[in-house]
Amino acid sequence: MARWEPNARERLERAALALFTEHGYDATTVAEIADRAGLSKSTFFRHYADKREVLFGGQNALADRFSEAIRATAPSATIGACLAAALESAAPAFTSARHGLALQRRAIIAANSELQERELLKRAGLCSAVADALRARGADDTTARLAAELGILAFGTAFARWATPENQQPYAEIAHTALRDLQACAAALGAEPDIRA
């Protein structure tokens, strides 16, 4: 009987990211990931459906965090406050201990068009979850969709800034700044002069 191994999921993630970095995503097999982690192939499949999910497995949990944070805001909260709460809810996933893994993940996805496509699909899922949560609070469909797009753009911007090698700021601080910057840009769109001739 196999012995229980602590931190199996994290060990598999670290092994996969290292192998994807060393040999490329396509050239790395599940068996190699399990072997590098010192675990069995069946243990890999208890934690991940396939090797792509090592990179994207946290997205469903993130969608749940965003939705729950929006539901938990006070009934009088503005949509902007709901988006801020959603972004802040992701902070536990973006700690300084995970910074190096985020850098690896970002580079791996950037080097593979199939993974970039998957990233876009997962982002669309996050956006849909945020829009659904905002609609459940009473936002009309257009407002919910627009706010969700803005929130997910802020999330993507914050993650990209947080995941730079030289970054020392905590994710939550970066996320709030990104959201404020995007809200200011969106507000400025309505203030632009009419350029029609």
Side-chain angles (χ1 to χ4, degrees), residues 13 17 94 98-108 159 162-163:
E13 178 188 24
L17 291 172
F94 302 116
R98 294 198 52 80
H99 192 256
L101 298 175
L103 290 169
Q104 286 180 298
R105 180 187 180 277
R106 207 169 145 203
I108 291 159
F159 178 78
W162 176 79

Side-chain angles (χ1 to χ4, degrees), residues 14-193:
R14 289 182 181 278
L17 291 172
L19 287 165
F20 294 160
T21 300
E22 293 166 19
H23 305 293
Y25 172 80
D26 290 327
T28 301
T29 67
V30 167
E32 290 169 329
I33 295 168
D35 186 57
R36 172 74 67 98
L39 299 166
S40 68
K41 197 171 164 182
S42 62
T43 300
F44 179 94
F45 288 115
R46 276 197 296 276
H47 293 279
Y48 298 105
D50 58 37
K51 67 181 184 177
R52 282 184 313 184
E53 287 307 301
V54 173
L55 299 167
F56 300 107
Q59 297 286 356
N60 292 337
L62 193 56
D64 291 343
R65 279 181 185 266
F66 286 172
S67 297
E68 179 55 36
I70 291 169
R71 281 193 300 273
T73 57
S76 61
T78 64
I79 288 178
C82 291
L83 294 178
L87 293 175
E88 191 164 322
S89 74
F94 302 116
T95 63
S96 58
R98 294 198 52 80
H99 192 256
L101 298 175
L103 290 169
Q104 286 180 298
R105 180 187 180 277
R106 207 169 145 203
I108 291 159
I109 292 171
N112 186 295
S113 58
E114 176 193 332
L115 296 177
Q116 291 169 26
E117 191 174 308
R118 177 78 167 183
E119 175 99 318
L120 291 173
L121 288 172
K122 290 289 191 172
R123 283 225 173 140
L126 289 175
C127 194
S128 180
V130 170
D132 288 346
L134 291 171
R135 276 192 289 272
R137 289 180 59 90
D140 66 81
D141 185 60
T142 301
T143 301
R145 288 174 50 213
L146 180 60
E149 291 287 347
L150 182 75
I152 298 307
L153 179 58
F155 170 69
T157 301
F159 178 78
R161 290 176 184 169
W162 176 79
T164 57
E166 66 280 358
N167 175 55
Q168 297 295 314
Q169 283 184 291
Y171 161 81
E173 187 178 313
I174 295 169
H176 284 294
T177 300
L179 181 59
R180 281 193 306 270
D181 290 349
L182 288 170
Q183 287 170 320
C185 288
L189 291 176
E192 288 182 3

